[in-house]
Amino acid sequence: MNKDWLHRIFITAGLILLAIGGFAATSGQAAAKTTNVADSKRQLVDIVLRPKSQSALHQFVYNTVTPSSPTYRKFVSPSTFAKRFSQSPKQIKALQTYLRHHHLRAQTYKGNLIMVVKGSTKNVEKAFKVNLVNVNNGEVKYQKASRNPQLPKKLSKVVYTVFGLSNYSPFSSYKTKFQPSSLHTRTASGTTTTKKYSPTRFVRRYNLQSLYDNGSTGRSKTIGIISFANFHPNDVYRYWDDEGINVKSNRLSVYRTNGFKGTWDGYDETTIDVEQAGAIAPDSNIRTYIARPNILGMVNSIAAAVGQNVADSLSLSWGQSEAQVAYEMKQGITPKKYNQIMNLLFEQAAAQGMSVFTATGDNGAYDGITTGLTSGLSVDTPSNSPYVTAVGGTTLPKTYTVNKKKVTIHQERTWGADFLYPNYKHQRFFGTLDMLQSFFAGGGGGFSKYNARPAYQKGISGVGTYDATNLWKFKYGRPELLKKPINLSGKSSGRNLPDISANADPNTGYSMFITPKNNRNSKGQWLITGGTSVVAPQMAAASVLMSDFTTNGRLGFWNPQIYRFAKRSTSPFKPLDSRTNNTNLYYTGQPGKIYNQATGLGTVDFTALNKAFNS
């Protein structure tokens, strides 16, 4: 089978972004042209409702995971959440009446944080006092509003923000795909190869077997997968069958957010998410939320999943760099309160006891480097949210041939491609994007510029301080490898991420099975793959296994709990704190510290973590 059919999927998102800034040549780029959007075009807009008390919600979320609190693990339903923390039915009705007057239909997701508005361009423009335009710079086409939306003063008091007037599609997934190098996804041949890279290596490596031995398989639990692409269910069932997992025929369900029929760009991401989650928790249900790949789709899928309250854990393997978000905010295509919107939804999930896991990215400390919109350190959103468990990447022991010499990784370390750099000097790349993905391959981590350091990270050694090895300099926005690395140490503020890590390097990764998007009757292909987005669904699955042992069936918001566990002498985490041979292309370990920006608290012993959660 031609490898290129999967490679083309990977380069799509990066090429779109390269076309609008950064490494792409802009000197000859045509000026953007704008035209009015057709009056009859159907629009979908979100109104984010202001919570009654942000501080009360914040306190409740923390109380649900504090053993000394009277509300410890007393999670609420979406209807109770709405009554306690959201706007009243009277205020929501007043807003709906106003919109109906403008011939717009509006309804809220359960929990009453997000109201979806549908109608024609003409009526949306009148209701929100905007003018919608199409932007075309010759490379990228999208819709945006010419001014900030407005509502009557009386109604605007209950509104946090309005967005969705832009339909720009920025999201990329965090799973390493085909590259012209030995580092990334490759074809697998033979049963022995695929079994070697089976998800059972996650089970063995991180001590998960005791949960199965004690009867936990995820029965009666549901794992939610947030994604933007379709997948072939037959691929997933074929994968589980090859793994020897007997599953029920109705295990999978799909929710199409706002009726979106789906795209096939990035379908391998959805496939690997579902395959891995279902393999780790073999008796769980898997519910996939598929939306348009834009801000509106992201927010509405999360709002739908949280409002339905069916999933006990959520996995999210798509995101943007903070640098990219900053650029889009400046262009007026991403709402300035996007970060706060995501935090609100994740707080609702936490209040309801749902555990959320997000991939931190596959470009090391330089998240978003392939977009060309940053020339320095950046972390990922939504992994930057203090209300999610951000999952980073490691690589396992293995021997490589690097520039005709044997190089052995003796123990699990941070995933970073630095030790393979000598090979790349002799390698031909398809273009700039391929080059960047090879040199800048590693688990995401660092400091958020949008979220302050959360309470649970305070008092944890290593948080707020860092050791680093600088390998790169940026000249006119272009990366250049330093002749001699520079060792650095210092302090930084903001939410530190990731929180935990596990094997994500494609060289030591996991098997997957997939058929071409346009030919599900094909024999398909076995691949070896990796990326932090492979680990996120694995963690979500491990979470529902452990929740089988709780009295109320959910673990809730992980982070305040796991940071508390990490301070114990019986910590269930193994810090990867070495200062040497342990870098995500910038951050290294801090010897003797509990927390390290390249891998967070480190790897997990799930037998010990299960004991901590359920003791």
Side-chain angles (χ1 to χ4, degrees):
M1 179 176 292
N2 186 350
K3 294 182 181 181
D4 195 57
W5 66 269
L6 193 55
H7 174 76
R8 283 195 299 271
I9 295 170
F10 164 69
I11 65 174
T12 301
L15 290 179
I16 289 173
L17 290 166
L18 285 168
I20 60 176
F23 302 117
T26 58
S27 59
Q29 187 170 316
K33 297 178 181 179
T34 61
T35 57
N36 289 329
V37 176
D39 286 348
S40 60
K41 182 180 178 181
R42 308 305 293 175
Q43 299 289 337
L44 193 150
V45 182
D46 272 5
I47 297 176
V48 182
L49 299 169
R50 192 180 300 276
K52 289 178 183 176
S53 171
Q54 180 64 63
S55 60
L57 173 56
H58 176 83
Q59 188 61 55
F60 178 77
V61 164
Y62 272 77
N63 286 345
T64 62
V65 288
T66 302
S68 60
S69 170
T71 55
Y72 177 57
R73 290 190 179 169
K74 292 183 179 178
F75 306 120
V76 297
S77 66
S79 59
T80 301
F81 179 91
K83 291 176 183 177
R84 293 183 60 174
F85 303 110
S86 302
Q87 294 298 324
S88 69
K90 180 180 178 181
Q91 292 163 322
I92 291 173
K93 185 177 181 180
L95 190 53
Q96 288 174 323
T97 299
Y98 170 79
L99 295 168
R100 194 180 305 116
H101 177 73
H102 287 84
H103 308 289
L104 300 173
R105 292 183 293 116
Q107 63 183 60
T108 59
Y109 290 103
K110 292 181 180 179
N112 290 352
L113 288 179
I114 306 293
M115 177 180 287
V116 180
V117 182
K118 298 178 181 179
S120 69
T121 298
K122 180 179 180 180
N123 292 329
V124 164
E125 289 179 329
K126 288 181 178 179
F128 295 100
K129 298 178 174 57
V130 296
N131 180 43
L132 299 181
V133 296
N134 294 313
V135 181
N136 183 354
N137 68 358
E139 300 277 359
V140 180
K141 299 176 183 179
Y142 58 93
Q143 175 186 294
K144 64 178 288 187
S146 59
R147 65 179 72 91
N148 292 328
Q150 295 180 357
L151 287 168
K153 188 174 182 180
K154 186 176 181 180
L155 296 175
S156 64
K157 291 180 180 180
V158 303
V159 173
Y160 190 61
T161 192
V162 176
F163 75 100
L165 299 169
S166 167
N167 61 11
Y168 183 71
S169 300
F171 290 107
S172 58
S173 64
Y174 295 128
K175 186 182 72 62
T176 337
K177 306 174 181 72
F178 274 123
Q179 293 281 327
S181 76
S182 61
L183 175 63
H184 300 84
T185 306
R186 59 194 186 279
T187 56
S189 58
T191 303
T192 302
T193 301
T194 56
K195 291 300 181 185
K196 179 181 178 181
Y197 293 94
S198 163
T200 55
R201 74 186 327 202
F202 178 88
V203 174
R204 294 192 300 267
R205 183 81 193 180
Y206 304 114
N207 204 12
L208 206 59
Q209 185 61 44
S210 66
L211 277 68
Y212 303 131
D213 294 342
N214 288 319
S216 178
T217 57
R219 189 176 294 107
S220 78
K221 303 295 183 185
T222 298
I223 302 168
I225 305 292
I226 304 294
S227 195
F228 295 119
N230 293 323
F231 68 103
H232 295 312
N234 287 344
D235 289 353
V236 177
Y237 284 113
R238 164 72 185 275
Y239 183 79
W240 292 332
D241 183 65
D242 189 77
E243 287 294 315
I245 302 171
N246 295 317
V247 301
K248 52 191 176 183
S249 58
N250 62 345
R251 185 186 192 189
L252 299 177
S253 63
V254 174
Y255 178 85
R256 298 192 176 278
T257 306
N258 298 316
F260 181 53
K261 294 181 179 180
T263 178
W264 288 95
D265 287 342
Y267 80 106
D268 53 330
E269 176 59 64
T270 312
T271 303
I272 192 67
D273 287 357
V274 176
E275 287 179 351
Q276 291 296 316
I280 300 300
D283 284 332
S284 64
N285 295 313
I286 311 292
R287 185 161 177 78
T288 306
Y289 295 81
I290 299 177
R292 293 187 182 279
N294 56 29
I295 299 296
L296 199 70
M298 171 74 85
V299 169
N300 285 3
S301 270
I302 296 172
V306 175
Q308 291 173 9
N309 202 30
V310 172
D312 301 284
S313 67
L314 282 179
S315 173
L316 209 165
S317 295
W318 300 72
Q320 307 166 265
S321 70
E322 286 190 341
Q324 183 178 328
V325 170
Y327 173 86
E328 291 165 10
M329 286 181 179
K330 187 176 181 180
Q331 299 301 311
I333 53 182
T334 288
K336 293 188 181 300
K337 294 181 179 178
Y338 171 60
N339 183 70
Q340 294 91 324
I341 296 167
M342 298 296 282
N343 285 344
L344 274 176
L345 288 172
F346 292 136
E347 282 186 279
Q348 182 185 343
Q352 295 171 192
M354 300 169 72
S355 305
V356 183
F357 302 86
T358 61
T360 57
D362 293 349
N363 296 131
Y366 300 90
D367 192 66
I369 189 73
T370 57
T371 68
L373 300 180
T374 177
S375 58
L377 304 173
S378 184
V379 297
D380 176 74
T381 172
S383 284
N384 65 347
S385 172
Y387 299 102
V388 304
T389 301
V391 183
T394 68
T395 187
L396 302 183
K398 185 169 179 168
T399 297
Y400 301 83
T401 299
V402 180
N403 203 20
K404 299 181 180 181
K405 296 180 180 179
K406 296 291 184 182
V407 173
T408 300
I409 304 301
H410 292 284
Q411 60 187 12
E412 189 165 5
R413 53 153 281 183
T414 303
W415 173 33
D418 53 304
F419 63 92
L420 293 172
Y421 280 4
N423 275 351
Y424 299 152
K425 294 180 181 179
H426 313 290
Q427 184 171 309
R428 291 182 61 188
F429 296 102
F430 285 122
T432 301
L433 187 61
D434 282 338
M435 180 274 290
L436 292 173
Q437 280 293 345
S438 293
F439 278 98
F440 290 89
F447 300 88
S448 172
K449 295 180 180 179
Y450 283 90
N451 291 296
R453 188 182 307 166
Y456 55 77
Q457 288 191 324
K458 295 177 180 177
I460 302 293
S461 64
V463 169
T465 62
Y466 66 87
D467 281 344
T469 299
N470 188 19
L471 304 172
W472 295 90
K473 66 178 179 179
F474 289 83
K475 189 174 182 179
Y476 306 116
R478 296 175 181 271
E480 292 184 8
L481 196 60
L482 294 172
K483 292 182 179 179
K484 184 177 181 181
I486 301 174
N487 292 327
L488 302 166
S489 61
K491 297 180 180 180
S492 189
S493 59
R495 191 261 207 263
N496 290 223
L497 63 151
D499 298 303
I500 52 176
S501 295
N503 173 34
D505 184 348
N507 275 318
T508 58
Y510 300 93
S511 60
M512 71 175 292
F513 180 79
I514 193 168
T515 53
K517 61 184 179 182
N518 57 354
N519 185 10
R520 61 183 177 182
N521 295 318
S522 165
K523 291 182 180 180
Q525 189 173 27
W526 286 96
L527 307 173
I528 307 302
T529 190
T532 56
S533 70
V534 176
V535 189
Q538 290 175 331
M539 291 292 180
S543 182
V544 300
L545 292 179
M546 291 185 289
S547 68
D548 271 345
F549 299 99
T550 64
T551 55
N552 61 357
R554 286 186 175 179
L555 295 176
F557 181 26
W558 267 40
N559 291 10
Q561 302 177 85
I562 64 175
Y563 279 85
R564 188 166 64 242
F565 302 155
K567 292 189 288 187
R568 298 175 180 174
S569 60
T570 56
S571 170
F573 305 105
K574 180 183 179 180
L576 301 185
D577 61 354
S578 174
R579 184 70 174 79
T580 59
N581 191 32
N582 183 41
T583 172
N584 72 339
L585 312 180
Y586 186 78
Y587 297 106
T588 69
Q590 301 177 85
K593 300 293 178 70
I594 292 174
Y595 184 91
N596 302 275
Q597 284 74 27
T599 52
L601 298 174
T603 58
V604 186
D605 179 328
F606 282 104
T607 295
L609 183 59
N610 183 49
K611 183 177 180 180
F613 269 128
N614 294 291
S615 61

Tab-separated table of all heavy atoms in Angstrom, residues 306-335:
chain	number	residue	atom	x	y	z
A	306	VAL	N	-20.181	16.949	27.981
A	306	VAL	CA	-20.363	17.256	29.398
A	306	VAL	C	-21.858	17.330	29.729
A	306	VAL	O	-22.302	16.848	30.770
A	306	VAL	CB	-19.637	18.563	29.760
A	306	VAL	CG1	-19.918	18.960	31.202
A	306	VAL	CG2	-18.133	18.412	29.541
A	307	GLY	N	-22.646	17.927	28.834
A	307	GLY	CA	-24.084	18.035	29.069
A	307	GLY	C	-24.783	16.691	29.088
A	307	GLY	O	-25.697	16.463	29.885
A	308	GLN	N	-24.353	15.779	28.232
A	308	GLN	CA	-24.940	14.443	28.236
A	308	GLN	C	-24.546	13.658	29.476
A	308	GLN	O	-25.305	12.803	29.944
A	308	GLN	CB	-24.509	13.681	26.974
A	308	GLN	CG	-25.102	14.232	25.692
A	308	GLN	CD	-24.510	13.568	24.457
A	308	GLN	OE1	-23.777	12.580	24.552
A	308	GLN	NE2	-24.828	14.102	23.288
A	309	ASN	N	-23.343	13.923	29.978
A	309	ASN	CA	-22.866	13.313	31.226
A	309	ASN	C	-22.829	11.784	31.150
A	309	ASN	O	-22.953	11.105	32.172
A	309	ASN	CB	-23.738	13.753	32.405
A	309	ASN	CG	-23.034	13.617	33.747
A	309	ASN	OD1	-21.807	13.740	33.825
A	309	ASN	ND2	-23.805	13.359	34.789
A	310	VAL	N	-22.678	11.262	29.949
A	310	VAL	CA	-22.608	9.811	29.760
A	310	VAL	C	-21.191	9.299	29.980
A	310	VAL	O	-20.987	8.236	30.573
A	310	VAL	CB	-23.087	9.432	28.337
A	310	VAL	CG1	-22.834	7.958	28.061
A	310	VAL	CG2	-24.567	9.748	28.177
A	311	ALA	N	-20.206	10.056	29.507
A	311	ALA	CA	-18.809	9.628	29.606
A	311	ALA	C	-18.281	9.844	31.019
A	311	ALA	O	-18.483	10.901	31.622
A	311	ALA	CB	-17.958	10.400	28.604
A	312	ASP	N	-17.601	8.822	31.534
A	312	ASP	CA	-16.960	8.938	32.845
A	312	ASP	C	-15.597	9.597	32.729
A	312	ASP	O	-15.101	10.190	33.690
A	312	ASP	CB	-16.827	7.548	33.466
A	312	ASP	CG	-18.176	6.871	33.626
A	312	ASP	OD1	-18.913	7.240	34.551
A	312	ASP	OD2	-18.512	5.991	32.796
A	313	SER	N	-14.980	9.476	31.556
A	313	SER	CA	-13.727	10.184	31.280
A	313	SER	C	-13.756	10.660	29.838
A	313	SER	O	-14.434	10.066	28.996
A	313	SER	CB	-12.509	9.287	31.526
A	313	SER	OG	-12.467	8.220	30.586
A	314	LEU	N	-13.030	11.727	29.570
A	314	LEU	CA	-12.948	12.298	28.226
A	314	LEU	C	-11.494	12.325	27.776
A	314	LEU	O	-10.598	12.644	28.570
A	314	LEU	CB	-13.492	13.733	28.199
A	314	LEU	CG	-14.996	13.963	28.192
A	314	LEU	CD1	-15.284	15.466	28.200
A	314	LEU	CD2	-15.640	13.305	26.987
A	315	SER	N	-11.275	12.029	26.495
A	315	SER	CA	-9.947	12.118	25.907
A	315	SER	C	-9.985	13.091	24.742
A	315	SER	O	-10.880	13.030	23.905
A	315	SER	CB	-9.497	10.730	25.414
A	315	SER	OG	-8.285	10.827	24.694
A	316	LEU	N	-8.989	13.981	24.698
A	316	LEU	CA	-8.931	15.009	23.658
A	316	LEU	C	-7.519	15.065	23.096
A	316	LEU	O	-6.577	15.392	23.811
A	316	LEU	CB	-9.334	16.360	24.256
A	316	LEU	CG	-9.995	17.368	23.326
A	316	LEU	CD1	-10.658	18.472	24.134
A	316	LEU	CD2	-8.986	17.971	22.369
A	317	SER	N	-7.392	14.719	21.816
A	317	SER	CA	-6.073	14.640	21.196
A	317	SER	C	-5.831	15.715	20.152
A	317	SER	O	-4.926	15.592	19.334
A	317	SER	CB	-5.891	13.252	20.545
A	317	SER	OG	-5.894	12.243	21.517
A	318	TRP	N	-6.625	16.752	20.144
A	318	TRP	CA	-6.482	17.841	19.180
A	318	TRP	C	-6.227	19.141	19.935
A	318	TRP	O	-6.711	19.335	21.053
A	318	TRP	CB	-7.755	17.997	18.348
A	318	TRP	CG	-8.140	16.790	17.560
A	318	TRP	CD1	-8.648	15.622	18.050
A	318	TRP	CD2	-8.060	16.623	16.141
A	318	TRP	NE1	-8.893	14.739	17.024
A	318	TRP	CE2	-8.544	15.330	15.845
A	318	TRP	CE3	-7.647	17.450	15.092
A	318	TRP	CZ2	-8.620	14.840	14.542
A	318	TRP	CZ3	-7.718	16.970	13.796
A	318	TRP	CH2	-8.195	15.671	13.533
A	319	GLY	N	-5.512	20.050	19.319
A	319	GLY	CA	-5.275	21.317	19.990
A	319	GLY	C	-4.504	22.303	19.140
A	319	GLY	O	-4.237	22.072	17.963
A	320	GLN	N	-4.147	23.405	19.763
A	320	GLN	CA	-3.377	24.479	19.137
A	320	GLN	C	-2.312	24.926	20.117
A	320	GLN	O	-2.454	24.774	21.328
A	320	GLN	CB	-4.261	25.689	18.833
A	320	GLN	CG	-5.507	25.431	18.029
A	320	GLN	CD	-6.433	26.625	18.107
A	320	GLN	OE1	-7.338	26.668	18.926
A	320	GLN	NE2	-6.220	27.603	17.248
A	321	SER	N	-1.273	25.548	19.608
A	321	SER	CA	-0.289	26.153	20.501
A	321	SER	C	-0.841	27.477	21.015
A	321	SER	O	-1.672	28.113	20.360
A	321	SER	CB	1.029	26.392	19.769
A	321	SER	OG	0.884	27.444	18.812
A	322	GLU	N	-0.374	27.878	22.176
A	322	GLU	CA	-0.779	29.188	22.694
A	322	GLU	C	-0.343	30.294	21.751
A	322	GLU	O	-1.042	31.307	21.616
A	322	GLU	CB	-0.179	29.406	24.090
A	322	GLU	CG	-0.851	28.597	25.183
A	322	GLU	CD	-0.409	28.999	26.574
A	322	GLU	OE1	0.663	29.638	26.708
A	322	GLU	OE2	-1.132	28.683	27.541
A	323	ALA	N	0.783	30.127	21.101
A	323	ALA	CA	1.249	31.132	20.146
A	323	ALA	C	0.280	31.256	18.980
A	323	ALA	O	0.006	32.354	18.484
A	323	ALA	CB	2.645	30.771	19.640
A	324	GLN	N	-0.240	30.126	18.530
A	324	GLN	CA	-1.198	30.123	17.433
A	324	GLN	C	-2.495	30.809	17.853
A	324	GLN	O	-3.078	31.590	17.098
A	324	GLN	CB	-1.481	28.683	17.004
A	324	GLN	CG	-2.416	28.529	15.816
A	324	GLN	CD	-2.597	27.063	15.447
A	324	GLN	OE1	-1.687	26.259	15.618
A	324	GLN	NE2	-3.765	26.714	14.964
A	325	VAL	N	-2.948	30.519	19.071
A	325	VAL	CA	-4.164	31.148	19.585
A	325	VAL	C	-3.990	32.661	19.662
A	325	VAL	O	-4.887	33.429	19.297
A	325	VAL	CB	-4.529	30.575	20.968
A	325	VAL	CG1	-5.653	31.390	21.618
A	325	VAL	CG2	-4.964	29.120	20.833
A	326	ALA	N	-2.824	33.105	20.132
A	326	ALA	CA	-2.552	34.543	20.225
A	326	ALA	C	-2.628	35.197	18.850
A	326	ALA	O	-3.185	36.293	18.694
A	326	ALA	CB	-1.181	34.770	20.854
A	327	TYR	N	-2.072	34.521	17.847
A	327	TYR	CA	-2.109	35.044	16.484
A	327	TYR	C	-3.549	35.166	15.999
A	327	TYR	O	-3.954	36.183	15.422
A	327	TYR	CB	-1.309	34.125	15.561
A	327	TYR	CG	-1.430	34.475	14.092
A	327	TYR	CD1	-0.602	35.426	13.513
A	327	TYR	CD2	-2.388	33.861	13.293
A	327	TYR	CE1	-0.709	35.756	12.170
A	327	TYR	CE2	-2.515	34.186	11.948
A	327	TYR	CZ	-1.667	35.130	11.394
A	327	TYR	OH	-1.797	35.456	10.067
A	328	GLU	N	-4.345	34.127	16.230
A	328	GLU	CA	-5.727	34.115	15.750
A	328	GLU	C	-6.582	35.154	16.480
A	328	GLU	O	-7.482	35.760	15.895
A	328	GLU	CB	-6.322	32.719	15.912
A	328	GLU	CG	-5.695	31.712	14.961
A	328	GLU	CD	-6.005	30.277	15.347
A	328	GLU	OE1	-6.857	30.071	16.226
A	328	GLU	OE2	-5.378	29.369	14.773
A	329	MET	N	-6.314	35.369	17.758
A	329	MET	CA	-7.018	36.412	18.487
A	329	MET	C	-6.723	37.778	17.878
A	329	MET	O	-7.617	38.611	17.713
A	329	MET	CB	-6.605	36.401	19.965
A	329	MET	CG	-7.172	35.256	20.780
A	329	MET	SD	-6.641	35.356	22.506
A	329	MET	CE	-7.468	33.923	23.207
A	330	LYS	N	-5.466	37.993	17.538
A	330	LYS	CA	-5.069	39.264	16.938
A	330	LYS	C	-5.743	39.474	15.596
A	330	LYS	O	-6.096	40.602	15.229
A	330	LYS	CB	-3.547	39.302	16.782
A	330	LYS	CG	-3.001	40.638	16.320
A	330	LYS	CD	-1.478	40.627	16.286
A	330	LYS	CE	-0.937	41.974	15.846
A	330	LYS	NZ	0.566	41.972	15.819
A	331	GLN	N	-5.956	38.379	14.850
A	331	GLN	CA	-6.612	38.458	13.544
A	331	GLN	C	-8.136	38.544	13.665
A	331	GLN	O	-8.822	38.743	12.666
A	331	GLN	CB	-6.238	37.237	12.702
A	331	GLN	CG	-4.757	37.094	12.415
A	331	GLN	CD	-4.192	38.290	11.676
A	331	GLN	OE1	-4.744	38.739	10.679
A	331	GLN	NE2	-3.074	38.815	12.174
A	332	GLY	N	-8.657	38.363	14.875
A	332	GLY	CA	-10.100	38.427	15.074
A	332	GLY	C	-10.834	37.166	14.676
A	332	GLY	O	-12.044	37.211	14.432
A	333	ILE	N	-10.134	36.030	14.611
A	333	ILE	CA	-10.786	34.787	14.196
A	333	ILE	C	-10.932	33.795	15.353
A	333	ILE	O	-11.530	32.738	15.175
A	333	ILE	CB	-10.027	34.115	13.030
A	333	ILE	CG1	-8.553	33.920	13.371
A	333	ILE	CG2	-10.158	34.947	11.767
A	333	ILE	CD1	-7.731	33.304	12.251
A	334	THR	N	-10.419	34.137	16.510
A	334	THR	CA	-10.625	33.357	17.727
A	334	THR	C	-11.053	34.317	18.831
A	334	THR	O	-10.458	35.390	18.969
A	334	THR	CB	-9.330	32.621	18.137
A	334	THR	OG1	-9.092	31.557	17.215
A	334	THR	CG2	-9.451	32.015	19.529
A	335	PRO	N	-12.099	33.968	19.597
A	335	PRO	CA	-12.570	34.875	20.652
A	335	PRO	C	-11.495	35.112	21.713
A	335	PRO	O	-10.764	34.189	22.074
A	335	PRO	CB	-13.782	34.142	21.244
A	335	PRO	CG	-13.591	32.712	20.866
A	335	PRO	CD	-12.896	32.724	19.543
